[in-house]
Amino acid sequence: MSASRKARTARAYAVNEIFFSLQGEGARAGTPNVFVRFSGCNMRCDIQPGKSSPGGFACDTEFESGRPMTAAQIVVSALKLAPRGGVGVIFTGGEPALQLDKPLVDSMRKAGFGPLCIETNGTIDVAPLGLDWISLSPKVAEHAVRVSTCSEIRYVRGYGQGIPRPRAKAARKFISPAFSGDSLDPDTLRWCVDLVKANPEWALSVQQHKTWGIR
Ligand code: SF4
């Protein structure tokens, strides 16, 4: 097969955007990472609970738009942003596990990136991908979570929502107060602070990138 035919037949991923920034949440907050944000999600989180929504907060992520990119094109884009590699990659979305596969993970690793991380809603088992760091943020009932072990678990909590009872094993556990766009309601923050004080195995994780004014 000619090289051009190979390129035409290579798998294309629907990618919303690729950018270089600092992780703003969880145990890796403050570290530089290339974010590969995939299009599409299998949930529709909103204030009201429903079949595809846990309730309590509304999704503020635009994940409908995107463009097709091969693994090679994603690697080239990441290397343009971080030419020396050596920084983390965060596969995010939408729900990245709908598209992420081992060939793309392996391509990024071969290009010198790491740790390779995912932010997932837990509806798909990501263990076979061989990632270095799994951030699980469940958006479904616990019996429907397909990720059994993760590096950290983060639950978004709106005002009045209780402490979660996760089934997944997590090295670190975080409560993340729900933002409305870029603003954080002080009552929601106080509610989450009190949740953590009453449940000290949990820690607070605020979406710091929003207060830092970066992506
Ligand atoms: S799982 Fe995440 S990306 Fe998908 S709708 Fe919910 S908050 Fe938005």
Side-chain angles (χ1 to χ4, degrees):
M1 186 187 290
S2 69
S4 61
R5 175 137 172 77
K6 252 190 196 167
R8 276 203 301 274
T9 54
R11 179 184 172 191
Y13 306 84
V15 177
N16 182 291
E17 59 178 345
I18 300 176
F19 60 97
F20 189 26
S21 190
L22 304 188
Q23 170 62 296
E25 307 177 66
R28 297 189 65 254
T31 61
N33 297 269
V34 173
F35 290 75
V36 178
R37 205 156 78 71
F38 291 96
S39 309
C41 189
N42 52 358
M43 298 296 292
R44 291 292 180 274
C45 301
D46 209 342
I47 300 291
Q48 295 303 321
K51 195 167 158 250
S52 302
S53 166
F57 66 94
C59 176
D60 61 0
T61 307
E62 190 281 299
F63 53 72
E64 300 293 350
S65 63
R67 63 189 169 114
M69 294 180 77
T70 64
Q73 289 169 330
I74 292 170
V75 168
V76 167
S77 292
L79 283 172
K80 271 189 196 155
L81 295 165
R84 289 184 295 153
V87 300
V89 170
I90 298 178
F91 298 107
T92 187
E95 175 46 55
L98 293 170
Q99 298 191 65
L100 184 59
D101 59 7
K102 194 82 171 49
L104 178 53
V105 170
D106 291 346
S107 300
M108 296 302 270
R109 200 182 292 287
K110 207 167 148 199
F113 290 100
L116 302 180
C117 316
I118 190 169
E119 295 180 326
T120 179
N121 64 24
T123 51
I124 296 166
D125 180 15
V126 296
L129 296 174
L131 293 157
D132 305 312
W133 186 271
I134 298 170
S135 290
L136 171 62
S137 189
K139 305 292 190 302
V140 287
E142 292 301 327
H143 70 268
V145 174
R146 298 288 172 254
V147 174
S148 57
T149 307
C150 59
S151 316
E152 64 180 1
I153 196 163
R154 299 198 304 252
Y155 284 83
V156 181
R157 278 298 180 254
Y159 184 83
Q161 289 190 295
I163 199 75
R165 308 273 173 226
R167 283 173 74 168
K169 278 194 197 127
R172 303 282 303 274
K173 300 199 284 187
F174 294 99
I175 294 295
S176 180
F179 272 68
S180 173
D182 281 350
S183 51
L184 177 55
D185 168 40
D187 289 340
T188 302
L189 176 60
R190 261 193 302 278
W191 174 264
C192 291
V193 167
D194 287 344
L195 270 184
V196 167
K197 283 162 80 176
N199 300 274
E201 69 276 25
W202 293 81
L204 188 76
S205 170
V206 178
Q207 293 185 319
Q208 295 175 90
H209 51 288
K210 293 184 175 174
T211 59
W212 296 336
I214 60 172
R215 306 283 321 275

